[in-house]
């Protein structure tokens, strides 16, 4: 489903060049629950950003569902992300002036769906992530775990085939982190959505059915866990 | 689109104080715009009215050679039979009056004035029976009265009287040259002091009966001008042509007040231009304020921006959302500005600004004395309202464009 082929990414800061990715190749199948792990600076966020079509690579190729996304123009990438990808961020990135309901529904409004459909789907997904009755609360009135549930609902509402999560539990305590991972796993199994998440937390790695370890911008190991 | 509007207005409540301060800057700019426009319009309306009522009338019949020699005030370039013109105009329902204007030396003697002195003056000889039909001096007498038809007497502008220390009953001598060039000295009693809303008149006016001037100056029934009053609603240029055709006299010309007051109109135009520059600067300052507010708002929300872009919101929609937000600030500012403008306009229209004590001796070009009053101009208020919204929206474009140049990962990393 996702083919990453010899991808290189170099960041330039003045005269200094940092090789964030030094020729990474991997294939990801539909429905995988995959973790990209590694220490800080290993390139896991860069790889996630490249798969998520929000960054440009210097060399290599990425194709998703046989579409060479790395060759797409900016506008095409925006459309592709809108229709096919969901994102979960470490700091949730909810819009503070919108309610939980509005934060989730906004993704569907980008797809120009009718109001009734938006309402039905939003209420359903909020119920699914355990936020029934909290639809009208603003992020400031929700706990960190609840905010991340809103973010998960926001990522899943458009039924994307791929959800990318950058350190989704890094801002949560371990119990809440487990809850969130459990929820993500549940969604992965229920909707067959491919989840790719970055982490450097051992507990989070244990949840993944496939673990790709990065070190200095290269794949150190790629292991699938037997269920 | 509904979502974008809703998001924009919700974001306005995020930093209430900043929104209000920026809207306040817009409101102040618009209020100033409405205030200054009202003041200028009021000045112009009153100046034009005072010009027509006390200086030029609506139109004037002159000897065709008079206008180019008007500063010499020649008595020999005249209208030989003004009464026939007045009669002709009267038959066509047009009110007119004859006048003689001449320059001379005003001699002040120490008996009345405490010391001897002299000064150059312009004297206007009027027909007391008809003049008030055209000019509006009848209600301007401050002390005394207007001279009788054949009385050797004058009325004087109040500022002139004050400047030379003149009082009712004092005598003055006017030395001038009559029609033909002979010297003539006229002893006149001051019987009235006039105070009218036109400062030029108060500053210079000396008025005497035309019959007396006719005799002293050997005018033999001639006058230097025939002044005409036309309705306020009249198309002045068309009326001038009509009167010219009506008179059908080759050596006479009819001039509108606009032609005669071309210097005033030029000054008014220049002042309007200068004021527009000030207003432009006020708007520029407000625009910089809005731009800065939007820049701060955008850079505080860079990570949010990154999130929205990640989820597939196009740059165009993000730009529209921020422009809606700026339009919201503009809307609040415009509403506040127009309300403040109406309040200040109410005051300036009804009470005005009394500048008489400060500027009495200064000729600011406008024919307005002491109190400057504004005028209601709803068109300007409409323009101000929509300009406030439009400028706010427009200036948000540039900071948004700048923010959108950042790549998405940088946006998401932004602290």
């Amino acid at each position: 489903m996702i083919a990453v082929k010899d991808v290189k990414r170099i960041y330039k800061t003045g005269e200094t060049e940092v090789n964030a990715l030094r020729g990474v190749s991997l294939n990801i199948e539909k429905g995988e629950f995959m973790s990209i792990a590694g220490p800080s600076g290993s390139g896991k966020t860069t790889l996630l950003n490249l798969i998520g079509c929000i960054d440009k690579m210097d060399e290599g190729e990425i194709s998703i569902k046989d579409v060479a996304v790395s060759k797409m123009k900016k506008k095409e990438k925006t459309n592709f992300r809108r229709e096919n990808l969901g994102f979960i961020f470490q700091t949730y990135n909810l819009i503070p002036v919108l309610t939980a309901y509005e934060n989730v529904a906004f993704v569907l409004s980008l797809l120009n769906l009718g109001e009734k459909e938006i309402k039905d789907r939003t209420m359903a997904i909020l119920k699914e992530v355990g936020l029934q009755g909290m639809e009208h609360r603003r992020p400031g009135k929700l706990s960190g775990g609840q905010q991340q549930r809103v973010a998960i609902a926001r990522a899943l509402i458009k039924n994307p085939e791929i959800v990318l999560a950058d350190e989704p539990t890094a801002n949560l305590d371990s119990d809440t982190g487990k809850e969130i991972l459990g929820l993500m796993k549940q969604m992965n199994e229920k909707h067959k959505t491919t989840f790719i998440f970055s982490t450097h937390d051992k507990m989070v790695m244990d949840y993944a059915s496939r673990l790709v370890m990065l070190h200095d911008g290269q794949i150190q190991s790629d292991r699938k866990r037997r269920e | 689109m509904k979502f974008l509007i809703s998001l924009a207005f919700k974001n306005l409540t995020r930093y209430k104080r900043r929104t209000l301060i920026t809207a306040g800057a817009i409101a102040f700019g618009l209020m100033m715009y409405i205030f200054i426009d009202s003041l200028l319009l009021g000045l112009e309306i009153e100046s034009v009215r005072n010009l027509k009522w006390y200086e030029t009338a609506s139109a004037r019949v002159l000897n065709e050679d008079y206008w180019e020699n008007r500063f010499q005030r020649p008595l020999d370039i005249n209208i030989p039979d003004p009464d026939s013109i007045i009669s002709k105009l009267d038959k066509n329902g047009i009110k007119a009056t004859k006048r003689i204007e001449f320059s001379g030396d005003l001699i002040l003697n120490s008996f009345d004035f405490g010391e001897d002195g002299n000064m150059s003056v312009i004297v206007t000889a009027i027909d007391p029976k008809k003049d008030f039909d055209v000019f509006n001096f009848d209600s301007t007498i401050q002390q005394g009265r207007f001279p009788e038809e054949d009385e050797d007497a004058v009325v004087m502008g109040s500022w002139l009287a004050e400047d030379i220390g003149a009082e009712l009953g004092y005598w003055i001598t006017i030395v001038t040259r009559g029609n033909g060039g002979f010297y003539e000295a006229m002893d006149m009693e001051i019987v009235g002091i006039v105070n009218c809303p036109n400062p030029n008149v108060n500053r210079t006016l000396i008025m005497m009966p035309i019959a007396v001037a006719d005799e002293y100056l050997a005018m033999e029934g001639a006058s230097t001008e025939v002044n005409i009053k036309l309705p306020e609603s009249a198309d002045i240029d068309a009326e001038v042509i009509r009167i010219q055709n009506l008179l059908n006299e080759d050596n006479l010309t009819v001039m509108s007040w606009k032609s005669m007051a071309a210097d005033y109109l030029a000054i008014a135009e220049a002042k309007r231009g200068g004021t527009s520059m000030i207003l432009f600067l006020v708007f520029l300052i407000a625009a910089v304020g809005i731009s800065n507010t939007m820049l701060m708002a955008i850079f505080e929300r860079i990570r949010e921006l990154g999130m929205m872009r990640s989820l597939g919101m196009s740059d165009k929609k993000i730009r529209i959302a921020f422009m809606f937000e700026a339009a919201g600030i503009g809307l609040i500012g415009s509403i506040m500005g127009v309300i403040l403008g109406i309040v200040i306009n109410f005051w300036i229209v009804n009470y005005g600004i009394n500048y008489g004590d400060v500027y009495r001796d200064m000729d600011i070009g406008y024919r307005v004395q002491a109190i400057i009053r504004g005028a209601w101009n709803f068109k300007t208020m409409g323009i101000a309202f929509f300009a406030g919204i439009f400028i706010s929206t427009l200036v948000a474009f540039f900071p948004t464009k700048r923010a959108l140049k950042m790549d998405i990962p940088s946006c998401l990393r932004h602290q």
Side-chain angles (χ1 to χ4, degrees):
Chain A
M1 186 184 191
I2 302 170
V4 179
K5 207 168 150 187
D6 199 23
V7 166
K8 291 179 185 169
R9 179 71 171 107
I10 302 163
Y11 290 113
K12 289 173 187 163
T13 316
E15 298 289 303
T16 318
E17 285 190 353
V18 177
N19 286 292
L21 291 177
R22 304 163 187 257
V24 169
S25 298
L26 76 148
N27 287 304
I28 302 164
E29 300 302 323
K30 183 173 166 56
E32 281 198 61
F33 195 70
M34 189 186 113
S35 171
I36 301 170
S40 290
S42 59
K44 50 190 189 299
T45 299
T46 304
L47 181 57
L48 217 56
N49 287 345
L50 289 171
I51 295 170
C53 308
I54 58 174
D55 198 2
K56 280 185 208 162
M57 66 196 72
D58 293 293
E59 276 182 46
E61 197 180 306
I62 294 176
S63 54
I64 301 173
K65 296 195 292 182
D66 296 325
V67 178
V69 291
S70 48
K71 287 177 184 164
M72 280 180 179
K73 288 180 181 162
K74 189 181 170 187
K75 208 171 175 179
E76 291 171 327
K77 279 186 180 176
T78 302
N79 294 339
F80 187 81
R81 284 197 305 272
R82 186 164 58 234
E83 282 155 20
N84 299 288
L85 304 178
F87 287 86
I88 299 167
F89 306 96
Q90 179 184 336
T91 48
Y92 331 126
N93 286 351
L94 301 178
I95 301 172
V97 289
L98 301 184
T99 61
Y101 174 89
E102 289 165 333
N103 264 291
V104 177
F106 126 75
V107 178
L108 293 185
S109 73
L110 296 179
L111 296 171
N112 298 321
L113 299 181
E115 266 186 54
K116 189 176 182 311
E117 189 178 354
I118 291 176
K119 190 180 176 186
D120 291 347
R121 282 172 67 173
T122 307
M123 293 307 280
I125 197 80
L126 284 171
K127 189 179 173 189
E128 216 173 321
V129 298
L131 289 174
Q132 198 174 24
M134 298 181 193
E135 304 89 356
H136 301 296
R137 289 196 195 173
R138 287 189 176 185
K141 298 281 180 190
L142 296 170
S143 68
Q146 286 166 336
Q147 288 188 55
Q148 197 59 304
R149 282 169 187 267
V150 176
I152 291 170
R154 183 178 64 187
L156 289 168
I157 183 109
K158 60 187 173 189
N159 297 326
E161 292 190 51
I162 302 156
V163 170
L164 301 152
D166 188 14
E167 310 233 16
T169 59
N171 274 21
L172 302 172
D173 62 65
S174 62
D175 287 344
T176 315
K178 279 179 193 167
E179 269 179 37
I180 292 299
L181 284 165
L183 179 65
M184 283 165 59
K185 184 74 185 156
Q186 188 190 326
M187 295 296 152
N188 161 254
E189 283 166 2
K190 188 176 172 186
H191 301 288
K192 302 293 171 214
T193 309
T194 308
F195 271 80
I196 307 166
F197 50 93
S198 67
T199 188
H200 56 260
D201 185 336
K202 177 78 176 59
M203 183 267 289
V204 180
M205 290 177 215
D206 290 344
Y207 268 85
S209 53
R210 181 180 172 189
L211 179 64
V212 173
M213 289 293 291
L214 285 179
H215 188 80
D216 281 346
Q218 287 179 314
I219 293 177
Q220 198 177 41
S221 66
D222 184 352
R223 285 181 285 130
K224 281 194 180 172
R225 235 173 59 170
R226 290 201 184 124
E227 298 297 327
Chain B
M1 196 59 80
K2 195 179 158 192
F3 167 76
L4 296 181
I5 295 170
S6 157
L7 177 65
F9 277 88
K10 282 183 176 168
N11 273 327
L12 285 177
T13 62
R14 200 188 283 202
Y15 307 103
K16 289 190 188 82
R17 187 181 293 180
R18 194 193 297 161
T19 300
L20 282 176
I21 288 171
T22 313
I26 299 168
F28 178 75
L30 296 187
M31 182 196 74
M32 288 304 292
Y33 175 62
I34 292 168
F35 170 70
I36 291 174
D37 179 82
S38 165
L39 212 59
L40 279 180
L41 187 66
L43 276 169
E44 285 178 23
I45 290 172
E46 200 168 334
S47 288
V48 168
R49 191 195 65 199
N50 289 340
L51 262 166
K52 289 197 278 188
W53 282 12
Y54 305 105
E55 276 187 67
T56 61
S58 306
R60 184 176 287 174
V61 183
L62 295 165
N63 184 302
E64 63 175 351
D65 297 325
Y66 188 86
W67 188 250
E68 63 191 53
N69 296 294
R70 65 189 181 281
F71 296 117
Q72 284 78 47
R73 292 181 174 75
L75 293 174
D76 55 336
I77 304 176
N78 56 34
I79 302 167
D81 186 9
D83 292 327
S84 70
I85 291 170
I86 292 167
S87 167
K88 202 183 272 184
L89 291 170
D90 194 40
K91 278 177 193 158
N92 285 276
I94 299 167
K95 287 178 181 169
T97 185
K98 61 184 175 181
R99 278 182 166 193
I100 297 170
E101 200 171 89
F102 61 96
S103 53
D105 267 358
L106 173 67
I107 312 291
L108 310 173
N109 63 68
S110 58
F111 183 75
D112 276 336
F113 290 90
E115 57 182 319
D116 292 333
N118 73 301
M119 64 189 291
S120 297
V121 290
I122 296 158
V123 183
T124 307
I126 65 160
D127 178 354
K129 278 185 187 165
K130 292 244 180 195
D131 207 78
F132 299 153
D133 292 344
V134 175
F135 293 96
N136 286 55
F137 280 101
D138 45 343
S139 58
T140 61
I141 199 86
Q142 191 182 39
Q143 292 177 54
R145 57 176 174 80
F146 279 95
E148 298 297 329
E149 214 173 324
D150 52 358
E151 189 181 9
D152 282 6
V154 295
V155 291
M156 199 173 259
S158 59
W159 294 1
L160 175 62
E162 200 179 317
D163 288 346
I164 62 173
E167 287 182 19
L168 296 183
Y170 282 17
W171 283 79
I172 57 169
T173 304
I174 298 165
V175 178
T176 186
R177 298 183 81 158
N179 187 11
F182 61 91
Y183 279 96
E184 185 63 87
M186 299 174 270
D187 290 323
M188 299 279 172
E189 185 188 358
I190 300 169
V191 295
I193 290 172
V194 154
N195 185 291
C196 81
N198 186 328
N200 272 16
V201 173
N202 289 338
R203 204 176 280 128
T204 59
L205 181 81
I206 295 178
M207 216 180 237
M208 65 185 287
I210 198 164
V212 176
D214 184 273
E215 199 177 318
Y216 275 115
L217 305 173
M219 292 300 287
E220 294 173 348
S223 73
T224 54
E225 61 198 50
V226 170
N227 293 285
I228 295 166
K229 185 174 189 173
L230 295 167
E232 290 298 319
S233 56
D235 175 352
I236 198 82
D237 296 323
E239 284 297 312
V240 163
I241 294 167
R242 187 171 81 91
I243 294 166
Q244 185 83 59
N245 292 335
L246 194 73
L247 298 178
N248 194 25
E249 294 205 36
D250 290 344
N251 61 337
L252 297 181
T253 185
V254 184
M255 292 184 78
S256 71
W257 72 267
K258 283 183 192 169
S259 314
M260 289 183 278
D263 55 340
Y264 156 75
L265 291 174
I267 289 168
E269 185 66 38
K271 281 185 194 291
R272 214 178 295 132
T275 312
S276 301
M277 276 302 293
I278 295 167
L279 288 175
F280 172 74
L281 289 174
V282 169
F283 271 112
L284 194 68
I285 292 163
V288 169
I290 302 158
S291 183
N292 190 46
T293 301
M294 289 314 297
L295 197 67
M296 284 166 74
I298 290 163
F299 275 87
E300 277 169 6
R301 278 183 251 153
I302 284 282
R303 212 191 288 183
E304 239 170 73
L305 215 75
M307 177 275 292
M308 291 194 277
R309 292 167 77 191
S310 302
L311 296 181
M313 193 165 176
S314 65
D315 288 0
K316 186 182 162 192
K317 280 193 173 168
I318 290 171
R319 201 176 293 130
I320 290 172
F322 277 104
M323 286 170 86
F324 273 144
E325 195 173 326
I329 297 176
L331 180 70
I332 297 168
S334 289
I335 292 170
M336 283 164 61
V338 170
I339 290 171
L340 285 173
I342 289 172
V343 170
I344 202 164
N345 224 32
F346 183 82
W347 169 72
I348 193 84
V349 168
N350 291 293
Y351 301 101
I353 300 170
N354 190 338
Y355 78 109
D357 294 338
V358 185
Y359 290 114
R360 208 196 84 164
D361 294 328
M362 197 185 291
D363 183 1
I364 59 167
Y366 291 109
R367 267 46 166 202
V368 177
Q369 180 196 327
I371 295 174
I372 302 175
R373 284 199 168 82
W376 291 103
N377 189 350
F378 295 104
K379 189 180 162 194
T380 292
M381 289 178 192
I383 290 171
F385 182 80
F386 289 108
I389 298 170
F390 178 73
I391 292 170
S392 304
T393 312
L394 191 71
V395 294
F397 179 84
F398 302 102
T400 316
K401 193 177 172 188
R402 198 177 140 191
L404 288 171
K405 277 186 180 168
M406 264 175 108
D407 58 45
I408 299 174
S410 303
C411 289
L412 291 169
R413 275 198 305 271
H414 198 266
Q415 294 299 318

